[in-house]
């Protein structure tokens, strides 16, 4: 492995034995993927995937202590994925007891993250790239991030460069300030293997088309044509759309980068020259999307059960999305002559986004409709046996993929939570 002088010094133990081990681990990680050199991180902040103090993760806490005691503190500040629990999200007594045991290490783990370099006390979100949070890499930045939805966003929408790292390796890169050069860090690795032609009759649901693409291309890079006509530019609306689109590609498949013709930075600059020789094609029309949704398994015990909870906001919602949901719920309730939602509904967003949003009239109206606003990760809330049998609905395809939550398109979900049938 080719190393710079600084990197070699760390490997040689000049900054302590613990950092040397961290460097050795990253080198082994890189060599596994055929990397021949380490490159320095240029992004200002890191982002870690592991935010939760699961009681069974003892080796992680021991490792964190070893890093802290050995002076291997992160060279850059970092944000972290959302916390797993929030008392305002409905749960019954048994769930509460279970959560207490399951996440009993949360406070200790939070303290470790603080010592290692978390950006701020409220820097817990998967949408760390939102303006309000402030971890927004620039085009071309080399990152050491994990969290599939954040990595695919940083690569595709911001034009930064990051592999789909695992938890802990994200932190290791931030500690020594470099990552192995391979995959999505390279020009070659950013070329598209697929041309995806979108020929739907209207703007497709972001989470549904993302799912269809993810399941088709898996870890490959898709170049998507026919979506740009729904967006004038990569404005806030487009960014929110592609945040959800990307999370679905990354969770229903394993996409780490996508290009949208005429919109995303590299596609704008390089166009179809990004397509790799011998690329494959996939046409998406209304029928493909209908079939995709129809084929999602419903694993509820009682398929006709009345939903106990609805989750909106996986990945976390943007401020504009919160406002748009408020408007749509308000209009729908009015149309139905109702004042409150008929299903308990939780909307999630980054703490920094919520801090400002809570000052607004839209927030007060959402609360008056019965919506619970939270900063949690719905997946962490649901990913346990206590919630497995609970009928939960969502418009998140990531949540559908990893839990028993049942997916509905946004308008379908809106109709259900405001009193409609399943
Ligand atoms: Fe974010 Fe948790 Fe969903 S990290 S993308 S809210 S699974």
């Amino acid at each position: 492995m080719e190393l710079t002088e600084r990197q070699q010094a760390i490997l040689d133990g000049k900054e302590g034995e613990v950092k040397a081990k961290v460097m050795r681990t990253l080198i082994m990680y890189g060599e596994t993927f055929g990397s021949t050199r380490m490159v320095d991180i240029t992004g200002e902040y890191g982002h870690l995937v592991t935010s939760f103090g699961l009681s069974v993760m003892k080796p992680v806490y021991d490792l964190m202590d070893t890093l802290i005691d050995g002076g291997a503190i992160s060279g850059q500040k970092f944000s972290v994925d959302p916390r797993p629990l929030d008392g305002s999200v409905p749960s019954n007594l048994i769930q509460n007891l279970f959560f207490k045991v399951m996440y009993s290490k949360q406070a200790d783990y939070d303290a470790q993250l603080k010592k290692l370099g978390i950006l701020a006390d409220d820097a817990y979100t998967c949408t760390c790239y939102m303006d309000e949070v402030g971890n927004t890499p620039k085009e071309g930045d080399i990152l050491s991030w994990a969290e599939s939805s954040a990595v695919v966003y940083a690569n595709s929408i911001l034009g930064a460069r990051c592999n789909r790292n695992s938890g802990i390796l994200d932190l290791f890169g931030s500690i020594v300030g470099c990552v192995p050069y391979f995959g999505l860090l390279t020009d070659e690795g950013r070329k598209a293997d697929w041309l995806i032609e979108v020929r739907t009759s209207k703007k497709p649901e972001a989470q549904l088309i993302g799912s269809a693409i993810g399941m088709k291309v898996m870890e490959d890079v898709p170049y998507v044509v026919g979506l740009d006509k729904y967006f004038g530019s990569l404005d806030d609306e487009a960014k929110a759309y592609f945040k959800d689109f990307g999370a679905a590609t990354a969770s229903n498949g394993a996409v780490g980068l996508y290009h949208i013709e005429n919109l995303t930075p590299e596609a704008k600059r390089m166009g179809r020259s990004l397509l790799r020789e011998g690329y494959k094609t996939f046409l998406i029309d209304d029928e493909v999307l209908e079939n995709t949704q129809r084929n999602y398994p419903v694993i509820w015990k009682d398929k006709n059960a009345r939903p106990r909870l609805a989750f909106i906001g996986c990945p976390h919602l943007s401020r504009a999305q919160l406002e748009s949901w408020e408007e749509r719920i308000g209009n729908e309730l009015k149309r139905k002559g109702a004042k409150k939602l008929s299903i308990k509904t939780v909307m999630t967003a980054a703490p920094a986004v919520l801090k400002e949003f809570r000052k607004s009239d839209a927030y007060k109206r959402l609360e008056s409709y019965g919506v619970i606003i939270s900063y949690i990760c719905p997946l962490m809330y649901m990913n346990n046996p206590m919630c497995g049998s609970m009928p939960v609905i969502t418009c998140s395809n990531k949540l559908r993929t990893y839990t028993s939550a049942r997916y509905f398109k946004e308008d379908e979900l809106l109709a259900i939570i405001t009193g409609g049938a399943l």
Side-chain angles (χ1 to χ4, degrees):
M1 184 71 81
E2 198 183 304
L3 300 178
T4 63
E5 227 172 88
R6 184 190 74 83
Q7 294 162 358
Q8 186 66 51
I10 295 175
L11 183 65
D12 292 343
K14 300 261 162 52
E15 295 186 22
E17 186 45 33
V18 177
K19 267 198 187 179
K21 274 191 186 168
V22 168
M23 183 64 97
R24 264 205 300 282
T25 308
L26 283 173
I27 289 171
M28 283 159 61
Y29 165 46
E31 283 172 348
T32 307
F33 288 93
S35 171
T36 54
R37 68 187 170 101
M38 301 290 284
V39 283
D40 285 345
I41 292 167
T42 57
E44 194 175 357
Y45 303 120
H47 182 80
L48 312 189
V49 69
T50 312
S51 62
F52 40 91
L54 267 180
S55 46
V56 292
M57 295 203 317
K58 187 170 180 308
V60 171
Y61 311 128
D62 292 348
L63 172 67
M64 299 296 242
D65 278 339
T66 305
L67 293 171
I68 294 163
D69 295 345
I73 303 302
S74 179
Q76 56 174 187
K77 298 270 182 204
F78 52 78
S79 46
V80 186
D81 261 6
R83 284 201 170 102
L85 296 178
D86 172 1
S88 58
V89 177
S91 52
N92 61 32
L93 204 64
I94 303 174
Q95 280 174 322
N96 275 340
L97 274 174
F98 190 83
F99 286 149
K100 241 187 182 154
V101 176
M102 187 165 154
Y103 293 116
S104 61
K105 290 283 174 200
Q106 192 63 45
D108 295 347
Y109 187 59
D110 285 348
Q112 287 180 319
L113 289 174
K114 207 166 185 172
K115 285 184 191 154
L116 281 163
I118 190 165
L119 190 54
D121 286 344
D122 67 351
Y124 287 85
T125 176
C126 46
T127 56
C128 58
Y129 42 78
M130 299 252 170
D131 291 347
E132 296 90 336
V133 186
N135 183 359
T136 319
K138 299 183 298 301
E139 188 174 352
D141 273 349
I142 305 284
L143 310 178
S144 179
W145 286 17
E147 167 48 45
S148 65
S149 70
V151 167
V152 75
Y153 186 93
N155 274 322
S156 313
I157 300 300
L158 304 176
R161 295 192 171 211
C162 186
N163 277 316
R164 280 175 53 111
N165 302 298
S166 68
I168 304 301
L169 286 176
D170 48 8
L171 175 62
F172 278 13
S174 286
I175 288 172
V176 291
C178 59
V179 282
Y181 185 70
F182 71 95
L184 297 175
L185 266 50
T186 68
D187 289 344
E188 190 54 29
R190 296 178 75 85
K191 288 205 166 146
D193 313 278
W194 287 84
L195 176 72
I196 311 288
E197 263 189 76
V198 180
R199 280 197 228 145
T200 49
S201 56
K202 58 180 193 308
K203 183 162 91 174
E205 184 94 358
Q207 299 249 9
L208 187 54
I209 188 171
S211 159
I213 293 174
M215 287 197 281
K216 186 72 175 181
V217 311
M218 294 313 291
E219 75 277 24
D220 285 350
V221 177
Y223 183 97
V224 185
V225 303
L227 264 187
D228 55 309
K229 67 172 181 239
Y230 299 109
F231 304 94
S233 64
L234 210 43
D235 57 10
D236 285 350
E237 187 207 334
K239 284 179 181 167
Y241 180 95
F242 287 108
K243 158 181 78 71
D244 293 341
F245 167 97
T249 66
S251 56
N252 286 228
V255 173
L257 163 69
Y258 57 83
H259 302 293
I260 308 292
E261 190 161 67
N262 298 323
L263 268 188
T264 53
E266 278 147 294
K268 267 180 103 169
R269 231 177 333 103
M270 298 162 72
R272 295 193 189 192
S273 68
L274 278 167
L275 284 161
R276 207 184 284 284
E277 204 179 309
Y279 64 83
K280 290 166 267 187
T281 56
F282 178 38
L283 172 77
I284 297 188
D285 55 16
D286 295 340
E287 200 186 336
V288 168
L289 294 185
E290 277 158 30
N291 287 339
T292 302
Q293 187 172 3
R294 196 176 309 121
N295 286 331
Y296 294 147
V298 178
I299 55 174
W300 292 359
K301 269 190 201 136
D302 172 6
K303 294 196 180 4
N304 299 312
R306 186 181 149 71
R308 290 247 305 275
L309 202 59
F311 271 119
I312 302 172
C314 166
H316 276 173
L317 297 167
S318 68
R319 169 84 186 243
Q321 284 180 306
L322 284 162
E323 286 166 352
S324 155
W325 272 108
E326 183 275 314
E327 202 183 322
R328 287 148 77 193
I329 289 174
N331 289 341
E332 192 61 10
L333 285 175
K334 202 166 167 191
R335 200 179 67 76
K336 289 178 173 161
K339 292 236 172 315
K340 282 200 177 268
L341 297 181
S342 59
I343 309 259
K344 280 182 188 155
T345 299
V346 180
M347 287 189 193
T348 54
V353 170
L354 291 180
K355 196 172 162 190
E356 287 309 305
F357 182 62
R358 283 185 204 280
K359 296 175 192 161
S360 70
D361 289 342
Y363 169 72
K364 286 179 203 127
R365 284 194 293 273
L366 262 187
E367 272 212 318
S368 75
Y369 305 146
V371 173
I372 297 143
I373 307 285
S374 176
Y375 50 76
I376 62 162
C377 167
L379 172 57
M380 288 298 111
Y381 173 92
M382 280 201 67
N383 212 357
N384 66 76
M386 290 295 116
C387 292
S389 55
M390 201 169 142
V392 173
I393 56 174
T394 184
C395 49
S396 161
N397 231 322
K398 181 169 180 180
L399 195 62
R400 174 198 72 79
T401 306
Y402 291 121
T403 72
S404 57
R406 189 166 165 185
Y407 172 82
F408 290 93
K409 285 190 275 195
E410 291 190 0
D411 282 350
E412 295 167 341
L413 190 101
L414 177 65
I416 299 168
I417 60 176
T418 51
L422 265 189

